Coordinates of all heavy atoms in Angstrom, one line a residue:
T21 N -55.2 -6.5 -12.4 CA -54.8 -6.0 -11.1 C -55.5 -4.7 -10.9 O -55.6 -3.8 -11.8 CB -53.3 -5.8 -11.1 OG1 -52.6 -7.0 -11.4 CG2 -52.8 -5.3 -9.8
F22 N -55.9 -4.4 -9.6 CA -56.6 -3.2 -9.3 C -55.6 -2.1 -9.2 O -54.6 -2.1 -8.5 CB -57.3 -3.4 -7.9 CG -57.9 -2.2 -7.3 CD1 -58.9 -1.5 -8.0 CD2 -57.4 -1.7 -6.1 CE1 -59.5 -0.5 -7.4 CE2 -58.0 -0.6 -5.5 CZ -59.0 0.0 -6.2
R23 N -55.9 -1.0 -10.0 CA -54.9 0.1 -10.0 C -55.5 1.4 -9.4 O -54.7 2.2 -9.0 CB -54.6 0.4 -11.5 CG -53.8 -0.7 -12.1 CD -53.4 -0.5 -13.6 NE -53.2 0.9 -13.9 CZ -53.3 1.5 -15.1 NH1 -53.7 0.7 -16.1 NH2 -53.0 2.7 -15.3
G24 N -56.8 1.5 -9.3 CA -57.4 2.7 -8.7 C -58.9 2.8 -9.0 O -59.4 1.9 -9.6
I25 N -59.5 3.9 -8.5 CA -60.9 4.1 -8.8 C -61.1 5.5 -9.3 O -60.3 6.4 -9.1 CB -61.8 3.8 -7.6 CG1 -61.4 4.8 -6.4 CG2 -61.7 2.4 -7.1 CD1 -62.4 4.7 -5.2
I26 N -62.2 5.7 -9.9 CA -62.6 7.0 -10.4 C -64.0 7.3 -10.0 O -64.9 6.4 -10.1 CB -62.4 7.2 -11.9 CG1 -62.7 8.7 -12.3 CG2 -63.2 6.2 -12.7 CD1 -62.2 9.0 -13.7
G27 N -64.3 8.5 -9.5 CA -65.6 8.8 -9.1 C -65.9 10.2 -9.6 O -65.1 10.9 -10.3
T28 N -67.1 10.7 -9.3 CA -67.5 12.0 -9.7 C -66.6 13.1 -9.1 O -66.4 14.1 -9.8 CB -69.0 12.3 -9.3 OG1 -69.1 12.1 -7.9 CG2 -70.0 11.4 -10.1
D29 N -66.1 12.9 -8.0 CA -65.1 13.9 -7.4 C -63.9 14.0 -8.3 O -63.4 15.1 -8.5 CB -64.7 13.5 -6.0 CG -65.8 13.6 -5.0 OD1 -66.8 14.3 -5.3 OD2 -65.7 13.0 -3.9
N30 N -63.4 12.9 -8.8 CA -62.2 13.0 -9.7 C -62.6 13.8 -11.0 O -61.8 14.6 -11.4 CB -61.8 11.6 -10.1 CG -61.4 10.7 -9.0 OD1 -62.2 10.1 -8.4 ND2 -60.1 10.8 -8.7
V31 N -63.7 13.6 -11.6 CA -64.2 14.3 -12.7 C -64.4 15.8 -12.5 O -64.0 16.6 -13.3 CB -65.4 13.6 -13.4 CG1 -65.8 14.3 -14.6 CG2 -65.1 12.1 -13.7
R32 N -64.9 16.1 -11.4 CA -65.2 17.5 -11.0 C -63.9 18.3 -10.9 O -64.0 19.5 -11.1 CB -66.0 17.6 -9.7 CG -67.4 17.2 -9.9 CD -68.2 17.5 -8.5 NE -69.5 16.8 -8.6 CZ -70.0 16.0 -7.7 NH1 -69.3 15.8 -6.5 NH2 -71.1 15.5 -7.8
R33 N -62.8 17.7 -10.6 CA -61.6 18.4 -10.5 C -60.9 18.9 -11.8 O -60.0 19.7 -11.8 CB -60.5 17.6 -9.7 CG -60.9 17.4 -8.3 CD -59.8 16.6 -7.6 NE -60.3 16.1 -6.3 CZ -60.3 14.9 -5.9 NH1 -59.8 14.0 -6.7 NH2 -60.8 14.5 -4.8
I34 N -61.5 18.4 -12.9 CA -60.9 18.8 -14.2 C -61.9 19.7 -14.9 O -63.1 19.5 -14.8 CB -60.5 17.6 -15.1 CG1 -61.6 16.7 -15.3 CG2 -59.4 16.8 -14.4 CD1 -61.4 15.6 -16.4
P35 N -61.4 20.7 -15.6 CA -62.3 21.6 -16.3 C -63.2 20.8 -17.4 O -62.7 19.9 -18.0 CB -61.4 22.5 -17.1 CG -60.1 22.5 -16.3 CD -60.0 21.1 -15.8
R36 N -64.4 21.2 -17.5 CA -65.3 20.5 -18.4 C -64.8 20.5 -19.8 O -65.0 19.5 -20.5 CB -66.7 21.2 -18.3 CG -67.7 20.4 -19.1 CD -69.1 21.1 -18.9 NE -70.1 20.3 -19.5 CZ -70.9 19.4 -18.9 NH1 -70.7 19.2 -17.6 NH2 -71.8 18.7 -19.5
A37 N -64.1 21.5 -20.2 CA -63.5 21.6 -21.6 C -62.5 20.5 -21.8 O -62.3 20.1 -23.0 CB -63.0 22.9 -21.9
E38 N -61.9 19.9 -20.8 CA -60.9 18.9 -20.9 C -61.5 17.5 -20.8 O -60.7 16.5 -21.0 CB -59.9 19.0 -19.9 CG -59.1 20.4 -20.0 CD -58.0 20.5 -18.9 OE1 -57.6 19.5 -18.4 OE2 -57.6 21.6 -18.7
W39 N -62.8 17.3 -20.5 CA -63.3 15.9 -20.3 C -63.1 15.0 -21.5 O -62.8 13.9 -21.3 CB -64.8 16.1 -20.1 CG -65.2 16.5 -18.6 CD1 -64.3 17.0 -17.7 CD2 -66.5 16.6 -18.1 NE1 -65.0 17.3 -16.6 CE2 -66.3 17.1 -16.8 CE3 -67.7 16.3 -18.5 CZ2 -67.4 17.4 -16.0 CZ3 -68.8 16.5 -17.7 CH2 -68.6 17.0 -16.4
S40 N -63.3 15.5 -22.7 CA -63.1 14.7 -23.9 C -61.7 14.3 -24.2 O -61.4 13.4 -25.0 CB -63.8 15.3 -25.1 OG -63.1 16.5 -25.5
M41 N -60.8 15.0 -23.6 CA -59.3 14.8 -23.9 C -58.6 14.0 -22.8 O -57.6 13.4 -23.0 CB -58.6 16.1 -24.0 CG -59.1 16.9 -25.2 SD -58.4 18.6 -25.3 CE -59.2 19.4 -23.9
R42 N -59.2 14.0 -21.6 CA -58.5 13.3 -20.4 C -58.9 11.8 -20.4 O -60.1 11.5 -20.7 CB -59.0 14.0 -19.1 CG -58.5 15.5 -19.1 CD -57.1 15.7 -19.1 NE -56.4 15.3 -17.9 CZ -56.2 16.1 -16.8 NH1 -56.7 17.3 -16.7 NH2 -55.6 15.6 -15.8
R43 N -58.0 11.0 -20.0 CA -58.2 9.6 -19.8 C -58.5 9.2 -18.4 O -58.1 10.0 -17.5 CB -57.0 8.8 -20.4 CG -56.7 9.1 -21.8 CD -56.2 7.9 -22.5 NE -55.8 8.2 -23.9 CZ -56.6 8.1 -24.9 NH1 -57.8 7.7 -24.7 NH2 -56.2 8.4 -26.1
V44 N -59.2 8.2 -18.2 CA -59.5 7.7 -16.8 C -58.2 7.6 -16.0 O -58.2 8.1 -14.9 CB -60.3 6.4 -16.8 CG1 -60.4 5.8 -15.5 CG2 -61.6 6.5 -17.5
G45 N -57.2 7.0 -16.6 CA -56.0 6.8 -15.9 C -55.3 8.1 -15.4 O -54.5 8.1 -14.5
D46 N -55.6 9.2 -16.1 CA -55.0 10.5 -15.8 C -55.7 11.1 -14.5 O -55.1 11.9 -13.8 CB -55.2 11.5 -16.9 CG -54.5 11.1 -18.2 OD1 -53.5 10.4 -18.1 OD2 -54.9 11.6 -19.3
V47 N -57.0 10.8 -14.3 CA -57.7 11.5 -13.2 C -58.1 10.6 -12.0 O -58.6 11.1 -11.0 CB -58.9 12.2 -13.8 CG1 -58.5 13.3 -14.7 CG2 -59.9 11.3 -14.4
M48 N -57.9 9.3 -12.2 CA -58.4 8.4 -11.2 C -57.5 8.5 -9.9 O -56.3 9.0 -10.0 CB -58.4 6.9 -11.7 CG -57.0 6.3 -11.8 SD -57.3 4.6 -12.4 CE -55.6 4.0 -12.4
T49 N -58.0 8.0 -8.8 CA -57.2 8.0 -7.6 C -56.5 6.6 -7.5 O -57.2 5.6 -7.6 CB -58.1 8.1 -6.3 OG1 -58.9 9.3 -6.4 CG2 -57.3 8.1 -5.0
L50 N -55.2 6.7 -7.5 CA -54.4 5.5 -7.5 C -54.6 4.7 -6.2 O -54.8 5.2 -5.2 CB -52.9 5.8 -7.8 CG -52.6 6.5 -9.1 CD1 -51.2 6.8 -9.2 CD2 -53.0 5.5 -10.3
R51 N -54.4 3.4 -6.4 CA -54.6 2.5 -5.3 C -53.8 2.9 -4.0 O -54.3 2.8 -2.9 CB -54.3 1.0 -5.7 CG -54.4 0.0 -4.6 CD -54.0 -1.3 -5.0 NE -54.0 -2.2 -3.9 CZ -53.7 -3.5 -4.0 NH1 -53.4 -4.0 -5.2 NH2 -53.9 -4.3 -3.0
E52 N -52.5 3.2 -4.3 CA -51.7 3.6 -3.1 C -52.1 4.8 -2.4 O -51.7 5.1 -1.3 CB -50.2 3.7 -3.5 CG -50.0 4.5 -4.7 CD -50.0 3.8 -6.1 OE1 -50.4 2.7 -6.2 OE2 -49.5 4.5 -7.0
H53 N -53.0 5.6 -3.0 CA -53.5 6.8 -2.3 C -54.9 6.6 -1.7 O -55.5 7.6 -1.2 CB -53.6 8.0 -3.3 CG -52.2 8.3 -3.8 ND1 -51.8 8.4 -5.1 CD2 -51.1 8.7 -3.1 CE1 -50.6 8.7 -5.2 NE2 -50.1 8.9 -4.0
L54 N -55.5 5.4 -1.9 CA -56.8 5.1 -1.4 C -56.9 4.6 0.1 O -56.0 3.8 0.5 CB -57.5 4.1 -2.3 CG -57.9 4.4 -3.6 CD1 -58.4 3.1 -4.3 CD2 -59.0 5.4 -3.6
Q55 N -57.9 5.0 0.8 CA -58.2 4.4 2.0 C -59.0 3.2 1.5 O -59.9 3.3 0.7 CB -59.1 5.3 2.9 CG -58.4 6.5 3.4 CD -57.4 6.2 4.5 OE1 -57.4 5.2 5.1 NE2 -56.5 7.1 4.7
S56 N -58.7 2.0 2.0 CA -59.5 0.8 1.7 C -59.7 0.0 2.9 O -59.3 0.2 4.0 CB -58.7 0.0 0.6 OG -57.5 -0.5 1.2
L57 N -60.6 -1.0 2.7 CA -61.0 -1.9 3.8 C -60.7 -3.4 3.4 O -60.6 -3.7 2.3 CB -62.6 -1.8 3.9 CG -63.1 -0.4 4.4 CD1 -64.7 -0.4 4.3 CD2 -62.7 -0.1 5.8
D58 N -60.5 -4.1 4.5 CA -60.3 -5.5 4.4 C -61.6 -6.2 4.7 O -62.3 -5.7 5.6 CB -59.2 -6.0 5.3 CG -58.8 -7.4 5.2 OD1 -59.5 -8.2 5.8 OD2 -57.8 -7.7 4.5
P59 N -62.0 -7.3 4.1 CA -63.2 -8.0 4.5 C -63.4 -8.3 6.0 O -64.4 -8.4 6.5 CB -63.2 -9.2 3.6 CG -62.2 -9.1 2.6 CD -61.3 -8.0 3.1
D60 N -62.2 -8.5 6.7 CA -62.3 -8.8 8.1 C -62.3 -7.6 9.0 O -62.4 -7.7 10.2 CB -61.0 -9.7 8.5 CG -61.0 -11.0 7.8 OD1 -62.2 -11.6 7.6 OD2 -60.0 -11.5 7.4
D61 N -62.3 -6.4 8.4 CA -62.4 -5.2 9.3 C -63.8 -5.1 9.9 O -64.7 -5.6 9.4 CB -62.2 -3.9 8.4 CG -60.8 -3.7 8.0 OD1 -59.9 -4.2 8.6 OD2 -60.6 -2.9 7.0
T62 N -63.8 -4.4 11.1 CA -65.1 -4.3 11.8 C -65.9 -3.2 11.2 O -65.4 -2.3 10.5 CB -64.9 -4.0 13.3 OG1 -64.2 -2.7 13.4 CG2 -64.0 -5.0 14.0
A63 N -67.2 -3.2 11.4 CA -68.1 -2.2 11.0 C -67.6 -0.8 11.5 O -67.7 0.2 10.8 CB -69.5 -2.4 11.3
A64 N -67.2 -0.8 12.8 CA -66.8 0.4 13.4 C -65.6 1.0 12.7 O -65.5 2.2 12.5 CB -66.4 0.2 14.9
H65 N -64.6 0.1 12.3 CA -63.4 0.6 11.6 C -63.9 1.1 10.2 O -63.4 2.2 9.8 CB -62.5 -0.6 11.4 CG -61.3 -0.2 10.5 ND1 -60.3 0.6 11.0 CD2 -61.0 -0.5 9.2 CE1 -59.4 0.7 10.0 NE2 -59.8 0.1 9.0
A66 N -64.8 0.5 9.5 CA -65.3 0.9 8.2 C -65.9 2.3 8.4 O -65.6 3.2 7.5 CB -66.3 0.0 7.7
L67 N -66.7 2.6 9.4 CA -67.3 3.9 9.6 C -66.3 5.0 9.8 O -66.4 6.1 9.3 CB -68.4 3.8 10.7 CG -69.6 3.0 10.4 CD1 -70.4 2.8 11.7 CD2 -70.4 3.6 9.3
T68 N -65.3 4.6 10.6 CA -64.2 5.5 10.9 C -63.4 5.9 9.7 O -63.2 7.1 9.4 CB -63.2 5.0 12.0 OG1 -64.0 4.7 13.2 CG2 -62.1 6.0 12.3
Q69 N -63.1 4.9 8.9 CA -62.4 5.1 7.6 C -63.2 6.0 6.7 O -62.6 6.9 6.0 CB -61.9 3.8 7.0 CG -60.9 3.0 7.7 CD -59.6 3.8 7.9 OE1 -59.3 4.4 8.9 NE2 -58.9 3.9 6.8
L70 N -64.5 5.7 6.6 CA -65.4 6.4 5.7 C -65.4 7.9 6.1 O -65.5 8.8 5.3 CB -66.7 5.8 5.7 CG -67.8 6.4 4.7 CD1 -67.2 6.1 3.3 CD2 -69.1 5.7 4.8
A71 N -65.4 8.1 7.4 CA -65.5 9.5 7.9 C -64.3 10.3 7.6 O -64.3 11.5 7.4 CB -65.7 9.5 9.4
I72 N -63.1 9.7 7.5 CA -61.9 10.4 7.3 C -61.5 10.5 5.8 O -60.5 11.2 5.4 CB -60.7 9.9 8.1 CG1 -60.4 8.5 7.7 CG2 -61.0 10.1 9.6 CD1 -59.1 8.0 8.4
T73 N -62.1 9.8 4.9 CA -61.8 9.8 3.5 C -62.4 10.9 2.8 O -63.4 11.5 3.2 CB -62.2 8.4 2.9 OG1 -61.7 8.4 1.5 CG2 -63.7 8.2 2.8
E74 N -61.8 11.4 1.7 CA -62.3 12.4 0.9 C -63.4 11.9 -0.1 O -64.2 12.7 -0.5 CB -61.2 13.1 0.1 CG -60.2 13.9 0.9 CD -59.2 14.6 0.1 OE1 -59.3 14.6 -1.1 OE2 -58.2 15.1 0.7
S75 N -63.4 10.6 -0.4 CA -64.3 10.1 -1.3 C -65.5 9.6 -0.5 O -65.5 9.4 0.7 CB -63.8 9.0 -2.2 OG -63.5 7.9 -1.4
G76 N -66.6 9.4 -1.2 CA -67.9 8.9 -0.6 C -67.9 7.4 -0.4 O -68.9 6.9 0.1
E77 N -66.8 6.7 -0.8 CA -66.9 5.2 -0.7 C -65.5 4.7 -0.6 O -64.5 5.3 -1.0 CB -67.7 4.5 -1.7 CG -67.2 4.6 -3.1 CD -68.2 3.9 -4.1 OE1 -69.2 3.5 -3.7 OE2 -67.8 3.8 -5.3
L78 N -65.4 3.5 0.0 CA -64.1 2.8 0.1 C -64.2 1.5 -0.6 O -65.1 0.7 -0.5 CB -63.8 2.6 1.6 CG -63.7 3.8 2.5 CD1 -63.7 3.4 3.9 CD2 -62.5 4.6 2.1
A79 N -63.1 1.1 -1.2 CA -63.0 -0.2 -1.8 C -62.7 -1.3 -0.8 O -61.9 -1.0 0.1 CB -61.9 -0.2 -2.9
V80 N -63.3 -2.4 -0.9 CA -63.0 -3.5 -0.1 C -62.1 -4.5 -0.9 O -62.5 -5.0 -1.9 CB -64.3 -4.3 0.4 CG1 -64.0 -5.4 1.3 CG2 -65.3 -3.4 1.1
I81 N -60.8 -4.7 -0.4 CA -59.9 -5.4 -1.1 C -59.4 -6.6 -0.4 O -59.1 -6.6 0.8 CB -58.6 -4.4 -1.4 CG1 -59.1 -3.2 -2.2 CG2 -57.5 -5.2 -2.1 CD1 -58.0 -2.1 -2.4
E82 N -59.4 -7.7 -1.2 CA -58.9 -9.0 -0.6 C -57.9 -9.6 -1.6 O -58.2 -9.7 -2.8 CB -60.1 -9.9 -0.4 CG -59.7 -11.3 0.2 CD -60.9 -12.1 0.5 OE1 -61.8 -12.3 -0.5 OE2 -61.1 -12.6 1.6
T83 N -56.7 -9.9 -1.1 CA -55.6 -10.4 -1.9 C -55.4 -9.6 -3.3 O -55.3 -10.2 -4.3 CB -55.8 -11.9 -2.3 OG1 -57.0 -12.2 -3.0 CG2 -55.8 -12.8 -1.0
G84 N -55.4 -8.3 -3.1 CA -55.1 -7.5 -4.2 C -56.3 -7.3 -5.2 O -56.1 -6.6 -6.2
Q85 N -57.5 -7.8 -4.9 CA -58.6 -7.7 -5.8 C -59.8 -6.9 -5.1 O -60.0 -7.1 -3.9 CB -59.1 -9.0 -6.3 CG -58.2 -9.8 -7.1 CD -57.8 -9.2 -8.5 OE1 -58.7 -8.7 -9.1 NE2 -56.6 -9.2 -8.8
V86 N -60.5 -6.1 -5.8 CA -61.6 -5.4 -5.3 C -62.8 -6.4 -5.3 O -63.1 -7.0 -6.3 CB -62.1 -4.2 -6.2 CG1 -63.3 -3.5 -5.6 CG2 -60.9 -3.2 -6.2
I87 N -63.3 -6.6 -4.1 CA -64.4 -7.5 -4.0 C -65.8 -6.8 -3.6 O -66.8 -7.4 -3.5 CB -64.2 -8.6 -3.0 CG1 -64.0 -8.0 -1.6 CG2 -63.0 -9.5 -3.4 CD1 -63.9 -9.1 -0.4
G88 N -65.7 -5.5 -3.4 CA -66.9 -4.7 -3.1 C -66.5 -3.2 -2.7 O -65.4 -2.9 -2.7
F89 N -67.6 -2.5 -2.4 CA -67.4 -1.1 -2.0 C -68.3 -0.8 -0.8 O -69.4 -1.4 -0.7 CB -67.8 -0.1 -3.1 CG -66.8 -0.1 -4.2 CD1 -66.9 -0.9 -5.3 CD2 -65.7 0.8 -4.1 CE1 -66.0 -0.9 -6.4 CE2 -64.8 0.8 -5.2 CZ -64.9 0.0 -6.3
F90 N -67.9 0.0 0.1 CA -68.6 0.4 1.2 C -68.7 2.0 1.2 O -67.6 2.6 1.1 CB -68.0 0.0 2.5 CG -68.7 0.5 3.7 CD1 -69.9 -0.1 4.2 CD2 -68.2 1.5 4.5 CE1 -70.6 0.4 5.2 CE2 -68.9 2.0 5.6 CZ -70.1 1.4 6.0
G91 N -69.9 2.5 1.1 CA -69.9 4.0 1.0 C -71.1 4.6 1.7 O -71.8 4.0 2.4
Q92 N -71.2 5.9 1.4 CA -72.3 6.7 2.1 C -73.7 6.1 1.8 O -74.5 6.1 2.6 CB -72.3 8.2 1.6 CG -71.0 8.9 2.0 CD -70.9 9.2 3.5 OE1 -71.9 9.1 4.2 NE2 -69.7 9.5 3.9
D93 N -73.9 5.6 0.5 CA -75.2 5.1 0.2 C -75.5 3.8 1.0 O -76.6 3.7 1.5 CB -75.2 4.7 -1.3 CG -75.2 5.9 -2.2 OD1 -75.5 7.0 -1.7 OD2 -74.9 5.8 -3.4
E94 N -74.5 2.9 1.2 CA -74.8 1.7 2.0 C -75.0 2.1 3.5 O -75.8 1.5 4.1 CB -73.5 0.8 1.9 CG -73.4 0.1 0.5 CD -72.8 1.1 -0.5 OE1 -72.2 2.1 -0.2 OE2 -73.0 0.8 -1.7
L95 N -74.2 3.1 3.9 CA -74.4 3.5 5.3 C -75.8 4.1 5.5 O -76.5 3.8 6.5 CB -73.4 4.5 5.7 CG -73.5 5.1 7.1 CD1 -73.4 4.1 8.1 CD2 -72.4 6.2 7.3
S96 N -76.3 4.9 4.6 CA -77.6 5.5 4.7 C -78.7 4.4 4.7 O -79.7 4.5 5.4 CB -77.9 6.5 3.5 OG -77.0 7.6 3.6
R97 N -78.6 3.5 3.7 CA -79.5 2.3 3.6 C -79.6 1.6 5.0 O -80.6 1.3 5.5 CB -79.2 1.4 2.5 CG -79.9 1.8 1.3 CD -79.7 0.8 0.1 NE -78.9 1.4 -0.9 CZ -77.8 1.1 -1.3 NH1 -77.2 -0.1 -1.0 NH2 -77.1 1.7 -2.3
Y98 N -78.4 1.3 5.6 CA -78.3 0.6 6.8 C -79.0 1.4 7.9 O -79.8 0.8 8.7 CB -76.8 0.3 7.2 CG -76.7 -0.2 8.6 CD1 -77.0 -1.6 8.8 CD2 -76.3 0.6 9.6 CE1 -76.8 -2.1 10.2 CE2 -76.1 0.1 10.9 CZ -76.4 -1.2 11.2 OH -76.3 -1.7 12.4
L99 N -78.7 2.7 8.0 CA -79.3 3.5 9.1 C -80.8 3.6 8.9 O -81.6 3.5 9.9 CB -78.7 4.9 9.1 CG -77.2 4.9 9.6 CD1 -76.7 6.3 9.4 CD2 -77.1 4.4 10.9
K100 N -81.3 3.7 7.7 CA -82.7 3.7 7.4 C -83.4 2.4 7.9 O -84.5 2.4 8.5 CB -83.0 4.0 6.0 CG -84.5 4.1 5.6 CD -84.7 4.5 4.1 CE -86.2 4.5 3.9 NZ -86.4 4.8 2.4
L101 N -82.8 1.3 7.5 CA -83.4 0.0 7.8 C -83.4 -0.2 9.4 O -84.3 -0.8 9.9 CB -82.6 -1.2 7.2 CG -82.8 -1.3 5.7 CD1 -81.8 -2.4 5.2 CD2 -84.2 -1.7 5.4
K102 N -82.3 0.3 10.0 CA -82.2 0.1 11.5 C -83.3 1.0 12.2 O -83.8 0.6 13.2 CB -80.8 0.7 11.9 CG -80.4 0.3 13.2 CD -79.8 -1.1 13.3 CE -79.1 -1.2 14.6 NZ -79.2 -2.6 15.1
A103 N -83.6 2.1 11.6 CA -84.6 3.0 12.2 C -86.1 2.5 12.1 O -86.9 2.7 12.9 CB -84.5 4.4 11.5
E104 N -86.2 1.7 11.0 CA -87.5 1.1 10.8 C -87.7 -0.1 11.7 O -88.6 -0.5 12.2 CB -87.7 0.6 9.4 CG -87.7 1.8 8.4 CD -87.7 1.4 6.9 OE1 -87.6 0.2 6.6 OE2 -87.8 2.2 6.1

């Protein structure tokens, strides 16, 4: 079962001296606090959600399972391809 995600933002919030003592479960963003996407969401909705989230990416969740991620990197790649 998907419980949450951890990213560099989560790690940056804890002092470096505590890195070896802290567990992923202690610092990850729990599922209930995440902005997420459904596979049927529109691209416009995904961009809006990405703009208001604190993290650089959103989990795409279907029937309680993570099936992908949509983030700043994917958006940048899309815009670059579109410009070419």
Side-chain angles (χ1 to χ4, degrees):
T21 305
F22 173 61
R23 293 180 35 205
I25 61 171
I26 186 167
T28 54
D29 289 343
N30 298 87
V31 177
R32 285 186 192 132
R33 289 186 195 123
I34 59 172
R36 188 176 186 96
E38 294 180 23
W39 285 6
S40 64
M41 298 174 284
R42 300 294 291 271
R43 302 212 182 270
V44 170
D46 296 336
V47 298
M48 73 180 183
T49 303
L50 298 175
R51 178 181 178 180
E52 51 269 11
H53 297 122
L54 287 174
Q55 295 286 339
S56 62
L57 298 170
D58 184 277
D60 294 325
D61 286 338
T62 65
H65 176 75
L67 291 172
T68 301
Q69 291 300 104
L70 188 60
I72 63 174
T73 186
E74 290 182 13
S75 70
E77 65 183 8
L78 300 169
V80 181
I81 300 175
E82 183 175 51
T83 61
Q85 297 294 318
V86 176
I87 60 169
F89 287 92
F90 177 77
Q92 296 290 344
D93 292 342
E94 290 76 22
L95 177 58
S96 295
R97 270 187 244 124
Y98 171 77
L99 293 174
K100 184 179 177 183
L101 288 173
K102 194 85 165 148
E104 295 173 354

